[in-house]
Amino acid sequence: MKQIIGGNWKMNGSRLIALEFLSEMKRLGSGSVSSEIILFPPFTLIPLMTDAAADAGIETGGQDLFWLEKGAFTGEISPAMLADAGATWFLAGHSERRHVFGETDEVVRKKLEAGLETGLRGILCVGELIDEREAGRTEEVVKRQVEFALKDQKCVSPENFVIAYEPVWAIGTGLTATPDEAERMHSLIREWVAGIMSNDFADNTRIQYGGSVKPDNAAEILSRPSVNGALVGGASLKAGSFMDILRAVPLRK
Ligand code: 13P
């Protein structure tokens, strides 16, 4: 199964930064790595980055989307608009959308459904808050997020769907789940996916780890058998560190 490495730029970047980043990625050999590479820049940079990234082996995605096709929804971007801009992927339910902007499981589900129906491929982000972790509720919370998003989804398949397990306390903090903890949660998520969909679906679904993935911890996390990639925030903003993470992907997967 090909590993999938995403770079989530969040609210960072500019046209100049994007072009410099992509030319540096190409110079460093992004076109010849073994993993699938997806960049999630701010919406405004998607057309530029899609064009400039095509020959660097990189696809682009939206960090979010709205579930309706068009209409009076000031500030929103529809799945078709993302596709029209050149994106082939989207994120649904990133922890900042859930916890800074109050997105519920129901909203995340609708976004996932709408994006997949439009033909985009989606990464469902799940993960527990520190309070939930300390209260021993990690499994309950992540299971609920996975089940709510996936149950009875019609257009979903292992080809158009990826899960990113991102413990919220590890995002942007320099803290990471230990490789053992990540492996344990990924195995549980795979079991839950098997229960909702099928064993075959779960076996073929890629599960990324996210939360302070850096060049110096990537190899250890990415070598775990249940970890099929990473969703990288801060370290994806510099071509050098992002390429170091891509190079840390073990060849056997
Ligand atoms: P950091 O890598 O900056 O912790 O961010 C992770 C993340 O939120 C990726 O979506």
Side-chain angles (χ1 to χ4, degrees), residues 14-94:
S14 66
R15 291 163 63 86
L16 183 62
I17 288 170
L19 290 176
E20 284 176 358
F21 174 93
L22 289 172
S23 78
E24 187 63 1
M25 288 291 287
K26 284 181 219 177
R27 195 183 68 75
L28 294 171
S30 61
S32 57
V33 299
S34 59
S35 312
E36 217 169 324
I37 314 172
I38 327 288
L39 283 172
F40 296 89
F43 292 133
T44 50
L45 296 178
I46 289 176
L48 171 92
M49 290 188 81
T50 304
D51 290 346
D55 60 343
I58 298 172
E59 289 183 69
T60 59
Q63 296 172 15
D64 186 27
L65 47 67
F66 190 58
W67 59 84
L68 295 176
E69 205 184 309
K70 60 181 175 182
F73 303 101
T74 302
E76 295 296 334
I77 301 277
S78 74
M81 287 171 179
L82 267 189
D84 187 47
T88 46
W89 286 83
F90 64 99
L91 301 179
H94 188 276

Side-chain angles (χ1 to χ4, degrees), residues 105 108-109 112 124 144-151 153:
D105 286 331
V108 174
R109 181 192 165 80
L112 181 66
L124 169 71
R144 188 201 70 224
Q145 291 172 339
V146 170
E147 285 186 350
F148 209 102
L150 207 49
K151 214 162 190 239
Q153 279 285 3

Side-chain angles (χ1 to χ4, degrees), residues 8 10 94 96 166 170-172 211-213 231-234:
N8 176 8
K10 309 190 180 184
H94 188 276
E96 285 138 27
E166 301 198 289
I171 295 179
S212 297
V213 175
L231 189 54
V232 184

